[in-house]
Every structure is written in structure tokens, then in C-alpha cells.
Amino acid sequence: MTDLISGLILISTMGCFIAVLLQYSAKRYPEQIDEVVIAINNLLPQTQCAQCDYPGCKPYAEAIANGEDINHCPPGGEELIRNLAVLLGRETKPLDLNFGETKAPSVAVIREAECIGCTFCIKACPVDAIIGAPQQMHSIITEDCTGCELCLEPCPVDCIDMLITQDNLAKTYPLHLLKPVPKPIKSTEVSPCIRCGECEIQCPKSLAPHELYFQRESKTAMEILDLDACIECRICDRACPSHIPLTRIFVETKQRIESEKEKSIAANTAESKFLAHEQRQNQDHKKIRTRASRDDRASILAQLSKNNSGENK
Amino acid sequence: MTDAFVILLATIFVNNFVMVQFLGLCPFMGASQKMDAAIGMAAATTFVLTLTSAVSYLVEHYLLIPFELEYLRIIAFIVIIAALVQFSEIVIRATQPMLHQILGLFIPLITTNRAVLGVALLNVRHAHSFFDSILFGLGAALGFSLLLILFAAIRERLQFADIPLPFEGAAINMITAGILSLAFMGFTGMS
């Protein structure tokens, strides 16, 4: 019996002691989820279309960090799901069609002759891409439009069309079924380049084509090695004993980096505009709420009229 | 000094916890999909294993034996392990949020890693001294980390390999683990 009691006492004191220590360490090291949210948010398309049932891309990023499914974003499509799965180490799965289908990237255009100037679409636009005034014609700033389609529904005369800007075969292809792409060639793997340096000797701009070739997947390396200085003269192609199509590879790399840059700039502006939009709306709400209620107004008016009559006497 | 060296080498290679004693196979299979995750998991397990072997020695010799409560050994050790795992999870979540996202459930699952409890119990059975216990835990942890990282590297390559359809997924992983285990059999009897 004493054995049992002393055992109970020992285990429960150990438990209490450990609980106190853990509580203290939890206080000492607070949870930090921001870094994850930012990484996820950078991958999201920043259309702010709210098709995922969250008010914008950032709230959805926060939800993903807290365990929400990664397949609720139709504009991002299969490509986004793959990228998120790699980032977070989760399983890839097909897009959840309950949230909509992936469409080709598009922008909204107003048929301006039919616009009646109701300003409903201006209020609906999450990134402030529509300009106009009451009873005046509205117009869409194409560069700012993310193609979220949120302006279509409120328009009373249905004068907004979606124009497809480019085909996206990649997004209709079931990317999640593909095996992951091999990593960029590392110097230890077999590669047609034997590092003979012949291309470097002959390059008229004194670049190092073999190094550019090996590190073509890394954006920072391309900046350091100054890929932009390449004039695409094809001399290295001819110098290469392994007949690597170096110039073609460099042109492709340049194009890839450029398109990535454009995409990220567009996403950043959309996000900042959305934040500004949100902030302004919150301010509007506050203004409305700070107005006196009906009863208050009645009492204030009564007070005023009393004062006035008092002065008149 | 040589004794210490022998214990360390023996636990890493000859009596490797994963491949020879078949302890801790759950994270070995579960957390080895990606190299980054495997390294994080290996670090967390090393931390927990080494500390567990130290603390469990202290608890065994200064609490359980004086109060004649050896029958509570497993419960007491599990409580210690759970506490250390919780602590390491808190630290990882605060310092490496991205790693915490990737590992997810596998961090709390270190609690049920057989290797951790195995080390604590084997320490008692072999009657190791305090210093030897820590070395034994460290060796087990290093052996586990070695295997986990080796296996993660192999699995990353397997993703690009053209595997016959019936062998894809778990099957090829089992086969690979079996071949790895065969390789470690080569060390048997060397101590």
C-alpha cells in the first residue's frame, strides 16, 4: 500500500514539475507563424478574388499555415498546389472544384457605351482598378486588374466582359500527377559540359558561359555572373566541343527570369492595392459607426432647441 | 577513453538502432521524404535521445531506486520523454517555423519513437554509468540520424527513378530499407 502511495506521489510531483517547466518555456519561446505565412503568401497569385472563401490572399495564407487545405485556389491552379506541396511538405492533390475552375488569365473590360455610372463595380473591386464617378462612365485600368471577376456580379446592366490575356495550357494539364522535376544539374552529376573553358576564352564580352550554364537555375548567380551582358553572338556555341546549345539556353534563362520578375511585381502591386482598399473600407466603417444613433440624434436636437429657445427668451 | 569510443562506434554501426535492433522505424519511414525534413528530424531526435538518457539515469538512480519504485520505470521514462519532446517542439516552433510546418505531426510522435524508450531501458539493463549512458544515447541518436539522412537521400533519388508500377511508393521503400539493413548486417560481431 505504501508502495502505491509513494508511486502516486512521485509521478504526480514529476508531472507538476514538468508542467511548470513547459509552461515557462512556452512563454519564453512564443510561437512564430509569420515567416510561414509570408512564404505562403508569396506563392499565392494575389488576385484577391476570394474564391477560396477567405476575404483575400493573405487570410488564406494564414489559414493554410494553420492547417487549411492547399487546393482551394482556382487562379493558382495545379501549379500553385505543387509549389505549396513542395514548400510545406504536404501531399499534392487535384484542385477542389467546389471553389471554381482554373481559367486562363484574363482582365475585365467595360463596354463603355452601356455603362450607366452606378459605381457598384468600383466598390466591388478589391484592388481599386476601376475609375469613374456617379453618373459618369467607368473604366478599368488594365495593368491593375487581377481578373478576379468580382465586378461582374454587381453590375446591373452586365456591361463588363472578361478578356483572356494569354492561353494557359499548363494550368489545364493535371500537373499534380507528374513526378517532380529533377533538380538543376550539380557539378557532381554527369553533364555534357567538360569545363574545358574554350567558351570563356572566345566570349567577346569576357563572360564565363560554362559557369552561366551550370548555375542557370539560380537567379542570384545569374546576376553576379552578369547574364544580361550576353549579346547572344553564338560564338560559344561554335567553340563548345560538346555542342551544347549555350546561346539558346541563355535566351531561355533570360526569358524565364524576366517573366518571373514581371509576375512578382504584378502580385506585389495587387497585394498593396488590396491592403489600401481594405484599410480605406475599415475607415469608412468607423466613420459610419461614430455617427450618433437615431435616439442620440433626437436627444441632441431636443437639447439644441431647448438652448435656442432659452437664448431667445 | 577507448571504452567511450567503442560504445559510440558500436551503437552507431554494429548495433545500429534502426537497422539491427529495428527500433524507431516509424520516423525512419515517415520523415524521410525530404532531405531538409530528415535533417530537422534527425537533429530533434538527437536532442531528445541524448537528454533522455541523461535524465532517465538521474531519475532511475536518485528517485526510483532509493524509493524502491522500479516497477514505475516505464511510466516515469515515458513522462520524461514526453516532456522533452514537448520542449523541443516549442523551441522548433519558435525558431524554425518553416521546419515545424514540414515536420508537423512527426515532432510529437518522437514521444512514441521506440528508440528513445529503448535507449533509456537498455541503459538500465546494461548498468551503464552516467557518462556511458549519455554516450550510449548520443551514439544511438547519431546512428539514427545517419540512417535517416542516408534513407532520405536515397528516397530523393528514387523519385526520379523509373520504378515498375507494382513496386512504386511504399513497396520500393521497404525493399530499399531491407537492402540497407543487409548492408548493416556486415558489421555484426565486430565489437
Side-chain angles (χ1 to χ4, degrees):
Chain A
M1 194 60 200
T2 48
D3 259 14
L4 189 67
I5 291 170
S6 57
L8 266 175
I9 293 172
L10 180 80
I11 291 290
S12 41
T13 25
M14 255 174 72
C16 292
F17 187 63
I18 287 166
V20 169
L21 276 185
L22 282 181
Q23 274 298 325
Y24 171 75
S25 57
K27 286 264 159 58
R28 176 79 176 67
Y29 298 102
E31 190 177 349
Q32 282 176 351
I33 207 156
D34 287 354
E35 199 181 304
V36 183
V37 172
I38 291 168
I40 297 171
N41 198 29
N42 283 341
L43 286 181
L44 295 178
Q46 303 300 339
T47 50
Q48 319 294 350
C49 62
Q51 287 183 72
C52 51
D53 288 350
Y54 291 93
C57 290
K58 187 101 185 281
Y60 182 45
E62 278 159 14
I64 291 178
N66 287 319
E68 176 68 285
D69 269 342
I70 55 176
N71 59 347
H72 294 179
C73 179
E78 307 276 355
E79 204 184 338
L80 171 73
I81 293 171
R82 258 166 81 80
N83 291 340
L84 283 176
V86 170
L87 178 76
L88 303 172
R90 296 198 198 164
E91 294 279 309
T92 52
K93 45 185 150 185
L95 183 72
D96 191 341
L97 292 177
N98 293 331
F99 295 89
E101 279 176 44
T102 307
K103 294 171 187 159
S106 52
V107 288
V109 173
I110 294 178
R111 271 177 269 126
E112 291 168 344
E114 293 169 37
C115 175
I116 55 170
C118 64
T119 72
F120 287 168
C121 59
I122 294 181
K123 283 171 201 144
C125 181
V127 291
D128 295 334
I130 307 181
I131 43 174
Q135 310 299 322
Q136 308 285 322
M137 179 193 81
H138 301 339
S139 196
I140 289 174
I141 308 167
T142 312
E143 295 89 77
D144 290 344
C145 178
T146 62
C148 66
E149 305 192 355
L150 287 178
C151 51
L152 297 190
E153 207 257 307
C155 181
V157 291
D158 286 334
C159 70
I160 306 178
D161 295 322
M162 299 305 295
L163 271 191
I164 291 171
T165 48
Q166 70 190 70
D167 302 330
N168 59 338
L169 273 177
K171 282 185 181 166
T172 54
Y173 195 83
L175 273 168
H176 67 279
L177 295 176
L178 285 179
K179 286 183 176 185
V181 191
K183 277 184 184 164
I185 299 166
K186 282 178 198 148
S187 47
T188 49
E189 284 173 27
V190 180
S191 129
C193 175
I194 53 170
R195 298 250 189 195
C196 62
E198 199 59 39
C199 48
E200 190 169 355
I201 298 167
Q202 300 214 8
C203 179
K205 304 294 280 183
S206 317
L207 298 173
H210 54 93
E211 202 56 49
L212 286 168
Y213 168 73
F214 271 109
Q215 304 203 29
R216 62 186 182 274
E217 294 292 330
S218 151
K219 224 189 285 178
T220 46
M222 287 299 100
E223 260 171 41
I224 295 164
L225 294 167
D226 205 10
L227 177 67
D228 285 337
C230 169
I231 54 171
E232 296 157 26
C233 63
R234 310 183 123 236
I235 288 175
C236 49
D237 288 10
R238 265 172 277 148
C240 181
S242 302
H243 306 294
I244 305 171
L246 288 166
T247 313
R248 206 192 72 213
I249 289 169
F250 294 155
V251 171
E252 279 170 8
T253 311
K254 276 184 192 172
Q255 279 170 352
R256 204 194 63 238
I257 292 174
E258 194 57 34
S259 74
E260 269 171 23
K261 212 186 275 173
E262 269 170 23
K263 237 188 227 173
S264 76
I265 289 173
N268 281 340
T269 41
E271 196 190 357
S272 59
K273 284 189 154 255
F274 175 65
L275 287 178
H277 180 86
E278 285 266 274
Q279 209 178 355
R280 203 184 58 237
Q281 269 193 335
N282 285 342
Q283 274 175 355
D284 287 351
H285 278 300
K286 266 182 210 151
K287 265 182 213 156
I288 292 164
R289 252 184 248 124
T290 48
R291 273 179 64 186
S293 70
R294 183 185 287 255
D295 297 341
D296 289 346
R297 277 205 298 276
S299 67
I300 291 167
L301 278 177
Q303 190 77 34
L304 278 177
S305 58
K306 214 186 252 172
N307 286 352
N308 282 344
S309 57
E311 278 172 18
N312 286 346
K313 276 177 190 175
Chain B
M1 196 57 217
T2 45
D3 273 2
F5 195 63
V6 165
I7 288 184
L8 208 57
L9 272 193
T11 41
I12 294 177
F13 293 109
V14 184
N15 287 323
N16 188 290
F17 267 71
V18 184
M19 288 285 90
V20 181
Q21 312 201 22
F22 304 118
L23 292 164
L25 284 170
C26 160
F28 175 65
M29 281 288 168
S32 59
Q33 261 175 341
K34 272 175 70 181
M35 201 62 181
D36 305 346
I39 292 172
M41 189 68 192
T45 312
T46 307
F47 175 77
V48 172
L49 255 175
T50 317
L51 270 182
T52 302
S53 47
V55 178
S56 66
Y57 177 89
L58 293 179
V59 168
E60 167 79 17
H61 284 265
Y62 294 99
L63 282 179
L64 296 184
I65 292 179
F67 293 106
E68 294 178 344
L69 290 168
E70 286 95 335
Y71 69 92
L72 279 177
R73 193 179 289 138
I74 292 181
I75 300 176
F77 285 1
I78 284 286
V79 171
I80 294 165
I81 294 166
L84 284 171
V85 169
Q86 275 302 314
F87 177 71
S88 63
E89 189 188 3
I90 289 168
V91 172
I92 289 175
R93 195 163 53 190
T95 52
Q96 302 269 335
M98 215 58 233
L99 183 67
H100 184 257
Q101 271 287 325
I102 293 171
L103 286 179
L105 198 62
F106 280 104
I107 302 174
L109 273 182
I110 299 175
T111 313
T112 55
N113 188 337
R114 262 83 73 211
V116 184
L117 185 63
V119 163
L121 291 178
L122 282 177
N123 268 334
V124 175
R125 192 200 283 171
H126 294 326
H128 280 147
S129 70
F130 182 62
F131 186 60
D132 283 356
S133 304
I134 294 178
L135 267 183
F136 192 66
L138 184 67
L142 288 180
F144 178 80
S145 307
L146 174 76
L147 252 292
L148 192 65
I149 290 168
L150 267 182
F151 198 54
I154 295 177
R155 276 181 76 169
E156 281 202 344
R157 303 239 162 172
L158 276 180
Q159 286 194 319
F160 307 131
D162 197 14
I163 303 157
L165 198 60
F167 291 111
E168 265 185 16
I172 192 73
N173 290 337
M174 293 290 174
I175 295 170
T176 318
I179 296 172
L180 254 178
S181 177
L182 273 182
F184 271 80
M185 291 275 180
F187 291 115
T188 316
M190 273 178 70
S191 53

